[in-house]
Amino acid sequence: MARPADWHPLRESDPVPGDPVEVREQVKHMKKIAEYLRTQAEALTAMADADNLKGKYADELAENARGLGRKLDLAEDRYREVKGHLSNWANELEDFQKRADKALHDAQEAQRTIESRSKRDDHSPGDSEKKGEQDSSDEDPVLKQAKEDLEEARKRLNSAEGGYQERSSHFARKIRSSIDDDMKDSWWNDIKGWVADADWLGDIADWASWAATIVGAVAIFFPALGVIALALTVVVAAIHITQAVTGNGSWFDVLMDLGALKLARNGMKAAKAIKALQQNSRKAAAGLAKEKSTAQAARANAGARKTAAKSERKRGGGTSRKNRENARARRLRLEGENRAAGKRAADEVRDAEMPQITASDKAKSIGDENLAKQIKDINKWRDTHPNSPELASNASQAQRHADVVRGSWTASTVLDVGDKGADSMTDDGYSRMKDRMTAPVGSQW
């Protein structure tokens, strides 16, 4: 049965929280475990006492069986005693809550009477002289009784709350005493207990998860923040893995975290690949520009040399040594000019500013301005040199990587928003599904 949400005028919140039905469900579960342990202990004892065990291994096997049987006996005693304590606590808890609920109901009835009588008195007609006579007369008996009922309800609630605190501490001591036996917990059990008590781990995971979502959204416009979002996701995954391994969390959360990390890794790898392709395209385009400029200059210089040679022959210059030296010097100078022209063309490509992008270009790159410019730059050099297989291949690869970036971001966003949205729904079916994927590593039952 659901607990009252409004505890006015007695308290701000429920002073006797708890769920007797859930406690009894745990009692039933522990009873089944105790019965199973008892059955297994008896089976091991019977195995150890069997006369048909032969060979060198028989004594050791029998001793190990007896030892394990004794441990199961101790475990069964734990479950049986704790089960009894919890069963008694469920009964007393239910009684405390009934008393508290009755006190609350009576207090609210009294409070309504007090408020209604007060409003009637405030709005009743009469001059100041009549009001003075009223103040000096006896108090309204109905109002007086309502105030007494409210005070009595408060006392009954205080009594129920005090009993609740005392008995809950009593049963907590009994449970601790029941598990304080010769059966020592392993270091792993200590770790599981520590994680179970560390509520702050879950708080950090929740905080980091929301922070990663928010930072991831902002990173669309400021890509440098993507590293922070990734780091926060790693923190969340580490906590969820710790909780799941110790049986205090859901493996479903771990799968979601690992999926988000995988998608983020794919997106980052794709983005790095696009940057490398853009640099390679610039380098290839610079080489092609250099070759083209050098070839054009060489053709122009070759024509100039032919014209100069014809002029020399017309003047009757012949092939004297001086003329040959002049021709050689002119050829070397022209070759140097050709190389300089090629270098200038290559430098212009390498030093060219990144292309301007439109809002559509940015949207296609999930808001990443640098990524959009890199893709547009790759396509620009492909279009400038349409006969280059290398530049065409770079553009094709960049498009595929851009699809990976968009797909990774979309999938991770859908998973994240879907998970958070389902967790916040009033229907707890999603949470129960996640709880079914909770089991500690090495769990036996």
Side-chain angles (χ1 to χ4, degrees), residues 84-102:
H85 300 326
L86 288 177
S87 180
N88 292 333
W89 167 239
N91 294 333
E92 294 195 24
L93 172 60
E94 192 170 51
D95 179 63
F96 288 131
Q97 290 182 340
K98 287 180 179 178
R99 290 165 55 188
D101 294 352
K102 180 65 168 60

Side-chain angles (χ1 to χ4, degrees), residues 13 45 48 63 86 88 102 109 150 168 170 195 240 259 264 271 332 422:
S13 59
T45 301
E63 183 59 31
L86 288 177
N88 292 333
K102 180 65 168 60
E109 287 289 333
L150 177 60
S168 63
H170 167 77
V195 173
H240 284 165
L332 293 175

Side-chain angles (χ1 to χ4, degrees), residues 234-247:
V234 171
V235 171
V236 175
I239 293 176
H240 284 165
I241 289 173
T242 301
Q243 291 175 329
V245 166
T246 57

Side-chain angles (χ1 to χ4, degrees), residues 270 274 375 397-409:
I274 291 174
I375 294 174
Q397 292 182 60
Q399 185 58 50
R400 289 198 298 271
H401 288 306
D403 291 339
V404 171
V405 172
R406 286 190 290 268
S408 298
W409 182 86

Side-chain angles (χ1 to χ4, degrees), residues 416-436:
D416 185 46
V417 174
D419 183 50
K420 286 182 170 61
D423 275 336
S424 63
M425 291 173 62
T426 55
D427 182 8
D428 61 352
Y430 184 72
S431 297
R432 289 198 300 270
M433 180 274 292
K434 294 170 76 171
D435 289 341
R436 285 195 291 270

